[in-house]
Amino acid sequence: MRRRLSLVLLAGALFGTAGLAQEPAGPSELEEALGRPRRVPAISAELRAMFREVGRDRLVVRGLNGNDIAINIREYEPEDFRRFGDGRFVGFSFSGYEFYGYSLVDRAMAGEAAMIETGEMPAFSPDGRHFAAVQFSGSGWGNLEGLGLWEIRPDGAVQLFFTDALPEGEDWRIDGWPREDCVRLSAVAATWRPPEGQERDLPTAPRTHFGVEVGEPIQLLASHDQPACGVVDATQP
């Protein structure tokens, strides 16, 4: 599934008009599964100026340097468009046929490099220098499948840290940046079971807490039943 997702995003979500013109006629795999045509993405009036073109098969984002960032969306439906970093970034969630994710477009960059796969909506640090995202499904259908940390530089965002070796858990999420150099995240332990007679309800389940501190080296740290950022190394007993 990971291989299939890569092919879709790298070959199916091509940049520029040439790749789009070569798309085969007829309904896409997603349209066949939905039993309807894909919808034209809904862009709010607030964000519309950030796009040069909005169509059923393609989006064209206006780059900060006057360039166009063209995105082929033939194989998925994007939604919930948002701006980040005072308009430098535009992000959207999307779903396709047996894959899903979140994409962040860095308007300071160009071409395919401008597309950053974050799996879920990223969380930005208070000083605007970093952002982090976590998405882990176990099925391999997401477009991050791990934990990532990025630094925002003038000429583009750079990934500083990524791991897919997360402790076994469910419902991974970012819980915020209590400090400019530390981001909190948490998950429901895979071994957790509700009291006898109660249903397994993830939103109300106790969570195991972790943190990522920006420094040398960058590490995933565990604080167990307390919110992170003032934590101990998860690799220690």
Side-chain angles (χ1 to χ4, degrees), residues 6 38 41 44 47 82-83 112 142 184 186:
S6 298
R38 286 167 296 107
S44 68
L47 302 184
R82 303 189 182 207
R83 58 181 288 167
E112 187 176 344
R184 287 174 175 167
S186 64

Side-chain angles (χ1 to χ4, degrees), residues 3-233:
R3 175 179 171 79
R4 183 183 183 284
L5 176 60
S6 298
L7 291 174
V8 169
L9 293 178
L10 297 181
L14 297 173
F15 287 77
T17 56
L20 186 61
Q22 297 173 6
E23 288 287 356
S28 67
E29 193 171 27
L30 175 61
E31 290 172 322
E32 290 180 347
L34 293 173
R36 61 165 175 80
R38 286 167 296 107
R39 301 184 179 95
V40 175
I43 309 292
S44 68
E46 178 187 7
L47 302 184
R48 190 61 182 83
M50 300 173 70
F51 293 83
R52 188 178 301 279
E53 179 183 326
V54 177
R56 195 168 63 90
D57 291 341
R58 188 173 80 149
L59 298 172
V60 180
V61 176
R62 298 176 187 268
L64 297 180
N65 300 315
N67 58 299
D68 287 344
I69 304 168
I71 310 163
N72 187 327
I73 58 172
R74 179 177 169 80
E75 294 298 332
Y76 58 83
E77 282 190 321
E79 60 183 358
D80 192 20
F81 289 81
R82 303 189 182 207
R83 58 181 288 167
F84 303 93
D86 294 326
R88 170 165 166 173
F89 300 92
V90 58
F92 57 87
S93 59
F94 65 84
S95 57
Y97 180 70
E98 295 187 344
F99 70 94
Y100 66 91
Y102 199 95
S103 290
L104 193 68
V105 184
D106 186 346
R107 300 172 64 217
M109 303 175 74
E112 187 176 344
M115 295 288 290
I116 303 169
E117 301 175 357
T118 64
E120 297 284 352
M121 185 187 305
F124 286 71
S125 62
D127 59 3
R129 294 181 56 193
H130 300 90
F131 62 88
V134 63
Q135 177 270 311
F136 190 72
S137 65
S139 63
W141 289 7
N143 72 333
L144 182 65
E145 294 298 337
L147 166 67
L149 172 70
W150 290 260
E151 181 182 13
I152 303 172
R153 300 176 181 175
D155 57 349
V158 176
Q159 189 174 75
L160 300 180
F161 177 80
F162 174 82
T163 182
D164 58 3
L166 297 174
E168 191 174 356
E170 300 177 74
D171 193 32
W172 282 94
R173 72 186 188 200
I174 297 290
D175 293 324
W177 290 78
R179 305 198 316 258
E180 294 176 351
D181 64 345
C182 189
V183 60
R184 287 174 175 167
L185 60 152
S186 64
V188 176
T191 56
W192 176 77
R193 295 294 181 269
E196 187 175 352
Q198 296 183 18
E199 295 184 359
R200 195 167 189 270
D201 183 32
L202 291 181
T204 62
R207 305 186 68 83
T208 301
H209 298 273
F210 303 87
V212 176
E213 292 189 327
V214 181
E216 291 291 344
I218 297 173
Q219 299 181 71
L220 175 65
L221 307 169
S223 59
H224 308 292
D225 60 347
Q226 297 295 321
C229 300
V231 295
V232 295
D233 192 334

